[in-house]
Amino acid sequence: MELALRRSTTGFLCLLLVILEGHKVKTDIAGCHFYDTVNLTSSQKFENGSYFYQGVEITPNRTGEYSHVLLPDGDRESVKSHWRGCVCQLKTCIRLCCPPNQYMTPDNVCVDGLEEETWSDHYVDITSENDTKSLDFHKDFVHQGHLPQPCSDLYNLYKNEGILFENGTFLRHYDNKHLTKQEYCIQPLKFNDSIQILPFNCAIKSGPDWGKTVAISTSIVGIVVTIAVFCLTEKLRNFDSICLISYMVCLGLGSLMQLLDSWQIPTSTLCEPTVGMRESALQKNRPT
Ligand SMILES: *[C@@H]1O[C@H](CO)[C@@H](O)[C@H](O)[C@H]1NC(C)=O
Ligand SMILES: *[C@@H]1O[C@H](CO)[C@@H](O)[C@H](O)[C@H]1NC(C)=O
Ligand SMILES: *[C@@H]1O[C@H](CO)[C@@H](O)[C@H](O)[C@H]1NC(C)=O
Ligand SMILES: *[C@@H]1O[C@H](CO)[C@@H](O)[C@H](O)[C@H]1NC(C)=O
Ligand SMILES: *[C@@H]1O[C@H](CO)[C@@H](O)[C@H](O)[C@H]1NC(C)=O
Ligand SMILES: *[C@@H]1O[C@H](CO)[C@@H](O)[C@H](O)[C@H]1NC(C)=O
């Protein structure tokens, strides 16, 4: 009886490991955040393995095969396998809300028809370490027009309400918060016949709920103590308590997920591959 139980437990743990390992096969480009990459599917690939994306050459060591996209909340969504290139380390990127060549209407709808000639004020101020320069929206940037929108209820800020840094960070003056490309986007907004390039962001969420945190943490501590007592007491080592312990482990994991959720920590990061594995995977997937 006990042997069978032990075997099935081992089997279960192995299955869990296999599932977690599955996550690790995916190849990311070493040292490059997902939000610094672009989809290379419709770009031309040369014999030497380089791609050209909006006029920028991306060498093979800056490309990788992805079968997921990273959502703004940190979760991963599986998509058809495709190649991506780390282009933002080569040229300044601008992270758009809408697909390329579209503009935003005041009701936050992306509409086709953004043509170069039809608007004059197409300069964006970019701040680097030492200075601020005005860059041409059409010529000086790589446009990242296919990243997932930060949230469904975007609202725009005005030009003087934040600073866009060269490294892609946006400083929102309202609360002095540095927003990453997962949290904001830039988009030309058409406002009764004039077009302005404005930053868009999401409503500021209230902080984590401390009452909930304390309650769930207390219950996790209780569960851990109970499991420890059942494991350490010789007298309680029988079939019933193994069932109870299994139940407690499930309950504890559930509570832990709830806690992470209330702190908005993406649970998918628990299974993130380590940097070493990422690099060895990259070697394997290099085009020849
Ligand atoms: C990448 O680009 C191709 C072709 O434009 C498109 O079919 C595919 O859905 C894109 N994938 C992602 C994840 O954006
Ligand atoms: C790769 O090939 C393209 C097209 O022939 C060329 O423009 C580019 O310079 C080459 N890159 C390298 C790193 O050799
Ligand atoms: C990629 O390779 C090129 C030469 O092919 C080199 O100049 C560049 O520094 C390398 N980049 C990285 C990130 O290794
Ligand atoms: C910024 O200024 C500092 C000194 O004032 C200098 O060392 C550094 O190289 C400058 N950085 C750039 C990107 O120009
Ligand atoms: C980007 O640059 C700004 C200003 O130099 C800095 O405050 C911010 O931490 C940088 N962000 C990243 C991700 O390096
Ligand atoms: C733009 O719309 C505002 C009202 O929303 C109006 O007051 C203003 O005159 C309009 N500007 C132009 C140039 O039509």
Side-chain angles (χ1 to χ4, degrees):
M1 182 69 186
E2 208 167 302
L3 190 69
L5 199 72
R6 228 177 260 165
R7 267 195 198 151
S8 61
T9 314
T10 320
F12 173 73
L13 285 179
C14 286
L15 186 69
L16 200 68
L17 273 182
V18 167
I19 293 171
L20 292 183
E21 280 300 312
H23 276 272
K24 290 182 178 168
V25 198
K26 287 167 188 166
T27 60
D28 289 356
I29 305 166
C32 188
H33 195 270
F34 183 86
Y35 278 71
D36 288 335
T37 65
V38 290
N39 182 353
L40 294 176
T41 308
S42 40
S43 303
Q44 195 182 356
K45 185 181 182 182
F46 288 96
E47 268 177 19
N48 53 20
S50 289
Y51 285 86
F52 275 82
Y53 188 87
Q54 292 177 13
V56 181
E57 182 183 354
I58 306 173
T59 50
N61 54 2
R62 287 204 165 88
T63 62
E65 197 172 11
Y66 286 70
S67 50
H68 68 270
V69 293
L70 186 67
L71 300 177
D73 63 4
D75 278 339
R76 288 165 172 221
E77 186 182 66
S78 295
V79 294
K80 207 166 139 259
S81 173
H82 63 292
W83 284 84
R84 301 188 75 88
C86 187
V87 71
C88 299
Q89 291 175 354
L90 303 168
K91 190 173 174 183
T92 309
C93 286
I94 192 156
R95 189 265 198 258
L96 300 175
C97 310
C98 300
N101 304 319
Q102 297 197 341
Y103 61 85
M104 188 90 95
T105 66
D107 349 304
N108 284 358
V109 181
C110 295
V111 178
D112 271 328
L114 185 72
E115 275 141 33
E116 268 188 50
E117 315 81 62
T118 55
W119 47 306
S120 50
D121 181 25
H122 48 79
Y123 287 88
V124 181
D125 287 344
I126 295 287
T127 304
S128 54
E129 232 178 287
N130 296 335
D131 64 340
T132 299
K133 52 196 172 198
S134 276
L135 298 186
D136 186 325
F137 179 78
H138 301 296
K139 298 195 179 78
D140 296 332
F141 292 103
V142 168
H143 290 192
Q144 294 181 283
H146 292 294
L147 295 172
Q149 282 198 353
C151 52
S152 52
D153 47 353
L154 286 170
Y155 72 94
N156 72 282
L157 298 171
Y158 290 97
K159 275 195 171 167
N160 56 2
E161 291 182 311
I163 299 174
L164 187 59
F165 289 106
E166 199 168 26
N167 61 13
T169 303
F170 179 80
L171 172 65
R172 179 169 62 197
H173 289 324
Y174 174 75
D175 54 357
N176 250 343
K177 188 171 182 228
H178 286 87
L179 303 181
T180 67
K181 282 198 243 176
Q182 280 165 264
E183 299 167 295
Y184 81 90
C185 53
I186 304 283
Q187 192 62 38
L189 173 72
K190 197 170 196 173
F191 186 72
N192 55 7
D193 281 342
S194 80
I195 290 181
Q196 283 187 55
I197 304 170
L198 297 177
F200 287 74
N201 69 152
C202 306
I204 298 173
K205 290 195 194 102
S206 54
D209 182 342
W210 286 102
K212 199 168 160 187
T213 302
V214 170
I216 299 176
S217 304
T218 312
S219 97
I220 290 178
V221 170
I223 289 168
V224 169
V225 170
T226 312
I227 293 173
V229 167
F230 271 92
C231 284
L232 296 178
T233 314
E234 291 266 331
K235 262 191 220 160
L236 294 176
R237 283 208 194 130
N238 55 32
F239 180 68
D240 290 353
S241 44
I242 290 174
C243 288
L244 188 74
I245 289 171
S246 304
Y247 171 68
M248 283 288 173
V249 169
C250 293
L251 201 66
L253 282 178
S255 305
L256 188 65
M257 291 299 141
Q258 237 185 336
L259 190 67
L260 292 179
D261 213 39
S262 76
W263 280 77
Q264 279 151 18
I265 299 168
T267 42
S268 62
T269 55
L270 297 178
C271 312
E272 287 271 275
T274 60
V275 174
M277 289 180 125
R278 230 182 256 181
E279 261 155 12
S280 65
L282 186 74
Q283 302 276 343
K284 261 184 276 160
N285 277 273
R286 242 177 230 178
T288 43

